[in-house]
Amino acid sequence: MEFELWWLLGIPVFFALGWIAARVDIRQLLSESRTLPRDYFRGLNFLLNDQPDKAIDAFIEIVKLDTETADMHFALGHLFRRRGETERAIRVHQNLLARPDLPQEQYVHAQYELGMDYLKAGLLDRAEETFNRLMNTQYEVQARRALLEIFQREKEWPRAIEAALGLQEAGAGARQKEIGQFYCELAEDALVHLQIDDALPLLDQALQTDRKNVRASLLYGDALLAKHDIEGALLAWRRVEQQSVPHVALVAQRLMDGYRAVGRPQEGLNLLKSYLADASSIDLLEVVFKAVIELDGVDAAKQLVSDELRRTPTLLGLDKLLEARLMDAPPAIWAELSMVKNLVHGYTQKLARYQCSHCGFKARQFYWQCPGCSRWETTPPRRTEELNVMN
C-alpha cells in the first residue's frame, strides 16, 4: 500500500473532533451538576467531615424531593453495613421504605437490604420476618440463601433442610452436601439424648441425600455400637474407605477398638496398615503405632515409624520416631534424647492443625463445619504440615 500525502490532513481533523467531544462532555457535566439538589452537596460535605448522621439527614431530604436518588441511599446503606455501622444502615433503608410513593422495584430492593442489615446486626427474628416477605419477588433466591444462613445459626435443622430444598427447587444449585450434614446434626443430637432408634432413620436420610457423607457413616457406626451391634458398627465404619480414603484417619481408632472388642485385633491392625499404605496420615499412624506396640512389640513399632518417615518426611513423624526410640533407649542417652523429643514435640504442636481450604481457619480439632466461614466439609482430614509436604 502506497502512502498518500493527503492522509496527513486527517490528523488535525481527528484532533479537532476529540476537542469538541471533550467540550460537550464538560458542558453536560456542568449542566447536570447544576440540577443536583443542594442537600446532595451538604450530605457529601458532612461525609467528608466525618458526620454521617447529618449526612443521612441531608440525603433523606433529597429522597423526599426526588425518588430517583434512592440508588444513592442504597450505596450509602451498603457502605454503612460493610463498616459495621448497622444502626445507620437500618435507618437509611427504613426511611426509604417509609415513602408511600417509592416504586415497587425499589421498595422490594430496600426490603432486601434492610433484611441484610438485620442479619449483620444479629437481629435474626427481624431478618427472618423481612426475608419471608420477599418470597415470589425478584429477590426470592437471595432471601432463601439468607434464611438458610439464619436457620443454621439458630441450629433449626429441619427448617434449614426445608430452606435448602427450596433453593434447589428455585434453581440455585445443588445442596445435597449441606442437607446431608443437617440430617447428621439431627442424628447427633438424638444420639446425645440416647434416642438411637430416632438417629438411625435420620442417618439413612443423610446417606440417601449424599452417598459420600463420611460423617453419616461414622455416626451410623456409633449408633449401632450403642445398640451393642459391634459387627454392624465395623461394617458402617469400613464404608468410609469407599467414600473418602483420606477420611479413614478419623475412623481408625473406632475400628481398632471394635476389632479388639470382637477378639480380632490383628485383623484390625492389618486393615489399618493397608489404609496407611494408601493414605499416609499422622493421625492414622498414631493409632497404628500404638496397636503395633501392643501386638508386635517396640522394634516393629520403630520400624513402622521409620519407614513412614522416609515416605513422608515431617516433624510430626519425627516426633513419633523419637517417642519410639525413647522406649528402649540406653540410660546414657535417654536424657539427651528426651530433651530433643520435648523440643520437637513442642514445635509440632503448632503444626498439628487442621486448616479450612476456603478461609484458612486453623484448629486442633476437626470440624465438619468451619467455625471461620461456616462452610461445610472444607477442612481436609490431614494436618497442615502433611498437606504442605504433599503439595
Side-chain angles (χ1 to χ4, degrees):
M1 181 182 294
E2 295 183 3
F3 177 77
E4 297 290 345
L5 195 60
W6 63 268
W7 289 357
L8 296 175
L9 298 176
I11 296 176
V13 172
F14 289 128
F15 178 80
L17 290 174
W19 181 82
I20 293 171
R23 295 289 295 176
V24 170
D25 288 342
I26 292 172
R27 288 177 180 176
Q28 183 179 356
L29 180 62
L30 290 173
S31 176
E32 290 178 355
S33 67
R34 292 191 188 102
T35 62
L36 289 173
R38 183 180 177 184
D39 286 323
Y40 175 78
F41 297 102
R42 288 181 58 243
L44 287 179
N45 187 53
F46 285 135
L47 280 178
L48 292 173
N49 290 319
D50 199 22
Q51 295 176 291
D53 289 329
K54 292 183 178 180
I56 291 175
D57 291 333
F59 289 139
I60 289 171
E61 289 300 320
I62 302 174
V63 170
K64 292 179 180 179
L65 298 173
D66 184 3
T67 59
E68 292 181 2
T69 58
D71 288 338
M72 181 175 59
H73 282 69
F74 288 132
L76 184 63
H78 186 68
L79 173 64
F80 283 152
R81 187 167 68 237
R82 287 188 59 183
R83 291 176 58 186
E85 300 179 55
T86 51
E87 290 184 7
R88 290 169 176 165
I90 289 170
R91 183 179 171 190
V92 168
H93 296 128
Q94 283 179 336
N95 276 282
L96 278 174
L97 290 170
R99 277 196 55 84
D101 57 344
L102 192 69
Q104 179 63 22
E105 183 178 351
Q106 292 183 342
Y107 183 84
V108 174
H109 186 187
Q111 273 200 321
Y112 172 71
E113 294 295 341
L114 181 61
M116 295 302 293
D117 295 339
Y118 287 144
L119 184 59
K120 181 69 179 288
L123 304 173
L124 301 185
D125 291 340
R126 293 186 185 181
E128 180 183 344
E129 182 181 350
T130 304
F131 288 128
N132 280 328
R133 296 196 199 104
L134 295 172
M135 297 299 109
N136 301 317
T137 70
Q138 65 266 36
Y139 288 93
E140 179 176 353
V141 172
Q142 295 94 317
R144 287 186 181 276
R145 288 197 185 100
L147 287 170
L148 179 59
E149 180 181 343
I150 291 171
F151 298 147
Q152 289 184 76
R153 286 196 198 180
E154 295 181 334
K155 300 188 182 302
E156 296 186 21
W157 305 117
R159 300 184 73 188
I161 293 171
E162 183 181 350
L165 290 172
L167 276 171
Q168 285 190 161
E169 293 171 1
R175 297 280 173 168
Q176 286 94 337
K177 182 186 295 184
E178 290 91 337
I179 294 172
Q181 290 292 339
F182 299 156
Y183 278 118
C184 286
E185 289 286 342
L186 289 169
E188 194 163 37
D189 185 64
L191 287 174
V192 168
H193 294 90
L194 302 178
Q195 299 168 345
I196 312 302
D197 292 332
D198 293 334
L200 289 171
L202 292 168
L203 294 170
D204 284 330
Q205 286 279 0
L207 289 167
Q208 288 174 18
T209 303
D210 179 12
R211 291 165 52 190
K212 293 186 177 181
N213 191 321
V214 172
R215 184 186 184 189
S217 296
L218 296 181
L219 293 174
Y220 210 102
D222 293 347
L224 292 176
L225 182 65
K227 292 173 71 71
H228 307 291
D229 182 3
I230 302 177
E231 293 289 355
L234 289 172
L235 288 175
W237 292 327
R238 290 194 61 174
R239 188 164 52 212
V240 173
E241 180 186 1
Q242 283 76 44
Q243 294 173 315
S244 172
V245 173
H247 282 85
V248 295
L250 301 179
V251 75
Q253 190 62 59
R254 288 177 170 90
L255 283 167
M256 197 63 224
D257 292 341
Y259 277 106
R260 283 196 192 94
V262 296
R264 305 200 304 274
Q266 193 62 51
E267 181 181 344
L269 177 57
N270 292 338
L271 176 65
L272 295 185
K273 281 183 176 180
S274 69
Y275 288 163
L276 187 62
D278 293 335
S280 178
S281 164
I282 192 65
D283 293 319
L284 181 56
L285 177 62
E286 175 77 22
V287 178
V288 176
F289 174 73
K290 292 178 180 178
V292 169
I293 291 175
E294 175 190 343
L295 298 175
D296 300 333
V298 174
D299 289 338
K302 287 192 292 186
Q303 186 62 47
L304 169 76
V305 177
S306 181
D307 293 341
E308 189 62 24
L309 187 60
R310 290 190 186 94
R311 185 163 70 119
T312 310
T314 63
L315 282 177
L316 294 168
L318 177 61
D319 181 47
K320 193 55 57 184
L321 178 62
L322 291 171
E323 181 180 340
R325 296 292 185 190
L326 276 170
M327 291 181 178
D328 59 357
I333 65 169
W334 191 93
E336 184 176 349
L337 195 61
S338 178
M339 179 183 67
V340 175
K341 166 71 172 65
N342 291 335
L343 287 172
V344 172
H345 182 74
Y347 188 73
T348 58
Q349 294 305 297
K350 302 176 183 178
L351 302 174
R353 298 285 192 276
Y354 296 105
Q355 183 174 4
C356 173
S357 60
H358 181 259
C359 71
F361 180 86
K362 294 182 181 181
R364 289 179 180 274
Q365 179 182 347
F366 180 84
Y367 289 99
W368 294 104
Q369 183 184 28
C370 174
C373 61
S374 299
R375 290 179 178 252
W376 293 96
E377 299 183 39
T378 55
T379 302
R382 286 190 172 98
R383 306 289 179 170
T384 52
E385 190 194 13
E386 295 176 275
L387 292 174
N388 292 334
V389 171
M390 293 172 63
N391 293 332

